[in-house]
């Protein structure tokens, strides 16, 4: 049998769990195999898939002749946990069950992230927050919602009467801190007084 050519790509190969790389050999007619299928598997086309952290030899054999390449598999971090929305100037905390990693923001003009995973909104938009352990990482998309404009409208009302509050930023929802004093329609901003007192209306 002919001796197989060198496996390509050349050089050290490191992949992450659940990720793939493709090996090739210029000598046709061979068979691919893995020395540790619980670490890395390989199909008949030379596609190698990381299964768990460890090291495996991927072999290409023709008859009794063979060549192999060592593959290192690093564990992919767990999925990032935490809220997915934040406002400019406010913060949310993201966590990852896999320790020892580092955080990074895909766009610091939209949101920054600290070494502890605290995300601070900077400007309206969407950004990917990354958590990496070694060469393997995961990401979570965080949306920075725009801060509403100041609320416009009257600030006093009698029980049984109504006023309408407005906000120049569309798409929001209205909320009353004490509906027994004054309620607010969540979509129109119409405030109705019910009892004497002070209430905060939120948008």
């Amino acid at each position: 049998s002919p001796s197989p050519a060198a496996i390509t790509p050349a050089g050290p190969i490191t992949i992450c769990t659940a990720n793939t790389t493709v090996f090739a050999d210029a000598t046709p007619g061979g068979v691919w195999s893995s020395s540790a299928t619980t670490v890395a598997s390989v199909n008949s086309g030379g596609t190698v898939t990381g299964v768990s952290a460890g090291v495996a030899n991927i072999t290409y054999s023709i008859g009794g002749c063979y060549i192999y390449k060592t593959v290192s598999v690093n564990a992919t971090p767990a999925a990032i946990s935490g809220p997915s929305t934040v406002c400019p100037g406010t913060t949310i905390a993201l966590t990852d069950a896999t320790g020892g990693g580092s955080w990074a923001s895909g766009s610091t003009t939209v949101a920054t992230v600290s070494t502890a995973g605290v995300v601070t909104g900077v400007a309206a938009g969407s950004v990917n927050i990354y958590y990496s352990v070694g060469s393997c990482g995961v990401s979570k998309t965080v949306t920075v919602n725009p801060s509403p404009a100041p609320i416009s409208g009257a600030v006093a009302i009698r029980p049984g009467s109504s006023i309408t509050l407005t906000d120049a930023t569309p798409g929001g929802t209205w909320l009353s801190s004490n509906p027994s004093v004054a309620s607010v329609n969540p979509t129109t901003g119409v405030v109705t007084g019910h009892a004497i007192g002070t209430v905060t209306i939120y948008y």
Side-chain angles (χ1 to χ4, degrees):
S1 299
S3 295
I7 296 173
T8 58
I13 298 296
T14 300
I15 61 176
C16 305
T17 53
N19 288 356
T20 62
T21 188
V22 178
F23 285 170
D25 195 287
T27 307
V31 176
W32 294 97
S33 63
S34 170
S35 66
T37 56
T38 58
V39 174
S41 63
V42 60
N43 66 14
S44 59
T47 298
V48 179
T49 302
V51 178
S52 63
V55 176
N57 291 328
I58 303 300
T59 301
Y60 185 75
S61 59
I62 301 175
C65 303
Y66 67 91
I67 192 169
Y68 71 89
K69 182 176 283 292
T70 300
V71 174
S72 297
V73 180
N74 293 333
T76 299
I80 297 171
S81 299
S84 57
T85 59
V86 66
C87 299
T90 63
T91 63
I92 56 174
L94 301 182
T95 59
D96 195 287
T98 306
S102 59
W103 296 92
S105 169
S107 176
T108 55
T109 60
V110 177
T112 61
V113 61
S114 73
T115 56
V118 177
V119 177
T120 302
V122 177
S126 293
V127 60
N128 286 328
I129 303 297
Y130 299 95
Y131 183 77
S132 301
V133 179
S135 60
C136 301
V138 290
S139 66
K140 180 182 182 69
T141 300
V142 172
T143 300
V144 182
N145 293 322
S147 294
I151 297 172
S152 299
V155 294
I157 189 175
R158 291 192 179 96
S161 62
S162 298
I163 57 172
T164 299
L165 301 181
T166 60
D167 195 285
T169 306
T173 301
W174 296 93
L175 178 69
S176 169
S177 66
N178 190 346
S180 63
V181 174
S183 60
V184 61
N185 186 292
T187 57
T188 65
V190 174
V191 179
T192 302
H194 300 295
I196 293 173
T198 301
V199 61
T200 301
I201 303 298
Y202 296 96
Y203 182 73

